[in-house]
Amino acid sequence: MANPNQEIKYTQLFINNQFVGAKSGKTFGTINPSTGKQIIDVAEGDAADVDAAVQAAKQAFARSSPWRQMDGSARGKLLHKLADLIERDINVLANLESLDNGKTFGDAVFDMNCAIDTFRYYAGWTDKVHGSTVPSDGPVMTYIRKEPVGVVGQIIPWNYPVLMLTWKWAPALAVGCTLVLKPAEQTPLTALYMAALSKEAGFPDGVINVVNGFGPTVGAAIVNHPDIRKVAFTGSVETGRLITEGSSKSNLKRVSLELGGKSPLVIFDDVNVDEAVEIAHNAIFANHGQNCCAGSRTFVHERIYDTFVTKAAQMAKSRKVGDPFADGTQQGPQIDEEQLNKIMGYIESAQKEGAKLQAGGKRSGNVGYFIEPTVFSDVTDEMTIAREEIFGPVQSILKFSTLDEVIERANKTEYGLASGVLTNNINNALVFANAIEAGSVWVNCYDYVMPTTPFGGYKQSGHGRELGYCGIELYTETKTVTIKLPTKV
Ligand code: ADP
């Protein structure tokens, strides 16, 4: 099953249902984060390739094209077929994902299953997105249509390559958009494999296009393109700003953004401490901490604080770090050297600012980008690790006394992606759920994301919601049709 020597079949750009080299002939190496060594060269697109992809997507969106003429139910069958093909090739995809991203093979399989569920969920929407008729004043009849926005650009990060692609592709295709996707430069391999599967599933020419390359070239060309009507982005706040600016300076294309987070997980003293420690551990260490909704501020009630810290440190010390393809590994490498250095910088800052190191704190091994699961106690709100997104395996444990206090402190951030509360007191849970400024609130669990439920952020964690019916809304325009009736009928 797990196979680090998985054959790599696709390394070119995918435009108009064909794999093609970049017009410039350029390539770039994708790196294995477990070794720091290059896996393979992939084609490096730039603005000219983006333009070719957009022209293909535009043609595929033309009024008389096979895609526009296709019934919604037929689009649903294509999405189901794509889900079936992911299921057939789940090991291939999971191997490529582990190799390119460093996540454990088990986690990669989990991601693929989530992708399958998401494609199937949106397959169900294809013939159910309908408008309405509305009561009108005067002798008119009015109805509302929901229509695809057109050619969309989609820019995704490296932490969940197939899953982020799926969150973007599935709703866009369900409603009949055509698309140009840019995978992250760190993880191009699975997007290309997904492109091949989409062709096998039978999506018409030009509906799905994948252009690999870098943010300032391919990403910026998508953001500035005059024929792209919407950009969906997941990534950093800084890039989110550039995208908003690019939209404003080009054609005011619609923008949806899912950005970073500094999500609080609040733990009251009425819980089972062992269970709470485990939930908090998984909330921060899942996917090596490279998770925009990671529970990266663990607020623990003062009455259980010391016990919690001891147990949290024990659990972090027992987390198995190593080869993502080996049985039993829980944590692989960070994505690249830049992230590794950034995370090590945060660990250093925490020690300088007075947080107490309870576990980890060092690189793990000399090869690849591994970091020991790290736990800090005595973290205060002002410390850098309590304010900035680390995106790594670093747990910050803060102490609190009252509900009001913790709500105020939890909300004292410009981020607002997710949050959690662990308590057996319904009043604490509901007051917290209502007061927290975050797009997701998990009560007595964490990171419970389903295809059916909207996901996205308050404040600078972005705008727009993916998944659920909200995903459909991101990719549709609303049209009002008003028809004058004869005065006398
Ligand atoms: P991260 O820090 O997680 O890598 P980024 O926001 O830098 O987050 O990257 C997320 C995605 O955005 C990647 O696909 C990256 O190539 C792309 N990107 C980076 N810079 C730009 C840009 N200026 N314009 C458009 N896309 C960009």
Side-chain angles (χ1 to χ4, degrees), residues 427-442:
N427 294 324
N428 283 347
L430 291 179
V431 170
F432 180 84
N434 285 352
I436 194 75
E437 295 160 356
S440 293
V441 187
W442 291 295

Side-chain angles (χ1 to χ4, degrees), residues 311-327:
K311 287 174 186 263
Q314 275 163 4
M315 187 164 266
K317 284 178 191 160
S318 68
R319 191 169 180 81
K320 198 162 170 242
V321 181
D323 176 5
F325 288 96
D327 276 350

Side-chain angles (χ1 to χ4, degrees), residues 145-165:
R145 279 169 60 78
K146 300 298 274 182
E147 298 182 351
V149 294
V151 178
V152 301
Q154 304 182 321
I155 301 175
I156 57 171
W158 44 261
N159 56 343
Y160 293 93
V162 166
L163 209 46
M164 289 299 100
L165 171 152

Side-chain angles (χ1 to χ4, degrees), residues 355-378:
K356 277 199 195 142
L357 183 66
Q358 301 283 356
K362 295 197 295 296
R363 278 185 75 162
S364 176
N366 299 321
V367 177
Y369 311 126
F370 297 87
I371 296 183
E372 293 176 349
T374 297
V375 176
F376 282 105
S377 68
D378 299 71

Side-chain angles (χ1 to χ4, degrees), residues 374-385:
T374 297
V375 176
F376 282 105
S377 68
D378 299 71
V379 177
T380 57
D381 297 347
E382 300 69 35
M383 289 180 186
T384 312
I385 57 163

Side-chain angles (χ1 to χ4, degrees), residues 154-159 182-186 213-224 231 233-240 242-243 259 335-336 338-339 342 389 391:
Q154 304 182 321
I155 301 175
I156 57 171
W158 44 261
N159 56 343
K182 187 192 103 56
E185 55 273 25
Q186 294 89 341
F214 294 88
T217 50
V218 174
I222 288 175
V223 170
N224 294 317
V231 170
F233 172 73
T234 301
S236 63
V237 173
E238 299 73 49
T239 308
L242 292 174
I243 287 174
L259 308 174
I335 189 70
D336 59 17
E338 189 185 332
Q339 284 295 319
K342 196 170 148 199
E389 187 177 41
F391 228 60

Side-chain angles (χ1 to χ4, degrees), residues 109-131:
V109 169
F110 179 83
D111 286 5
M112 299 313 147
N113 279 311
C114 293
I116 292 165
D117 291 348
T118 306
F119 276 114
R120 294 213 167 114
Y121 168 75
Y122 279 106
W125 270 119
T126 51
D127 56 0
K128 295 173 194 68
V129 179
H130 53 71

